[in-house]
Amino acid sequence: MADLKALAQALNKADRETLNTVVGLTKAAMKDGVPAAEILEKGLIAGMSVVGERFKKNEVYVPEVLIAARAMNAAMEVLGPELVKAGVQPRGTVVLGTVKGDLHDIGKNLVGMMLKGAGLKVVDAGIDVPADKFIAAAKESGATLVAMSALLTTTMPQMAEVIKAIKASGIKVKTLIGGAPVTQAYADEVGADGYAPDAASAADAAKKLIGA
Ligand code: B1M
């Protein structure tokens, strides 16, 4: 019998068996005829949200989050085609990138994993992303949120440039910013719609901004 609670818990185990267990339990639930959307919501997303909460409380660290995210990605490879067949839509689309002049992507990738874990579609624009590339990606994907990461004090002002360019372009997207030197005060100063101090909070903020 499919056990979605065990699936959610397996994501929180963070050992070398996590990926195989999570994929195995996902396949077992599919074999038992559990709807793909239910496996996603009650198993994978539920498990990842616990990982996110524990990460925020410093009960687990980056390696555990990476293990959980890799396992979730592997399970999504299996579940993805079923979700498409069932017509399950992502909760929203986010364009994510590290701003122009900045090559740091470890935190940005972690944010991407948490966003995916929250059921959002992520369009990863990569690193060193100029304003026009963020805007083009948002237009092309129909994203309603542009999420930016910056790790350098020298590249933080790029966030203001992107926000200005988005406003000038007239596209209807919200903005979320974060990264080690970024603060809520800076977000307020540059007119960002949201700020998050860590990857798990970024997923919460993104869901709120998108209304997912
Ligand atoms: Co560089 N680097 N680096 N670096 N690097 C820092 C950031 C630095 C603090 C080191 C230091 O001096 N102590 C310093 C910045 C100083 C400053 O401006 N305040 C620095 C510097 C100066 C530089 C160079 C200029 C060095 C040089 O060449 N002279 C250069 C710049 C290159 C460039 O970008 N143009 C440079 C280069 C590099 C490497 C390429 C070698 C490498 C990056 C590899 C890569 O990312 N693929 C690197 C690394 C690894 C670091 C440190 C050591 C680690 C960063 C990291 O990945 N942390 C870093 C020092 C440190 O932090 N201890 C340092 C782990 C990651 C999980 O955390 O990215 O903060 P973080 O993400 C967190 C949160 O910030 C948040 O969530 C994540 C997890 O919860 N978050 C968001 C991130 N993005 C978010 C977006 C959100 C919300 C939350 O919403 C959208």
Side-chain angles (χ1 to χ4, degrees), residues 94-97 111 115 134 145-149 159 163 166 173-178 182 187 192-199 201-207 209:
V94 184
V95 171
L96 171 68
V111 170
L115 293 175
F134 273 113
L145 180 67
V146 166
M148 292 169 261
S149 178
M159 295 174 148
I163 291 167
I166 285 174
V173 292
K174 296 213 164 142
T175 50
L176 173 66
I177 65 173
V182 181
D193 296 302
Y195 157 76
D198 57 60
S201 311
D204 293 341
K207 277 190 284 177
L209 288 169

Side-chain angles (χ1 to χ4, degrees), residues 64-81:
E64 285 90 343
V65 176
L66 290 176
I67 290 172
R70 278 199 198 109
M72 170 134 185
N73 282 339
M76 286 302 289
E77 297 268 309
V78 177
L79 196 61

Side-chain angles (χ1 to χ4, degrees), residues 84-172:
V84 173
K85 259 194 241 160
V88 177
Q89 299 294 328
R91 291 172 167 182
T93 302
V94 184
V95 171
L96 171 68
T98 303
V99 295
K100 186 176 165 192
D102 202 321
L103 307 178
H104 296 85
D105 69 354
I106 300 169
K108 185 262 296 171
N109 293 342
L110 214 50
V111 170
M113 288 168 181
M114 283 296 184
L115 293 175
K116 283 186 197 162
L120 299 169
K121 180 178 169 194
V122 177
V123 177
D124 191 341
I127 53 173
D128 193 16
V129 184
D132 57 351
K133 196 170 162 193
F134 273 113
I135 292 170
K139 278 185 184 162
E140 200 179 308
S141 63
T144 51
L145 180 67
V146 166
M148 292 169 261
S149 178
L151 264 286
L152 301 171
T153 43
T154 49
T155 57
M156 281 166 65
Q158 280 301 319
M159 295 174 148
E161 293 303 316
V162 177
I163 291 167
K164 248 193 262 162
I166 285 174
K167 284 183 180 152
S169 77
I171 57 165
K172 294 265 169 288

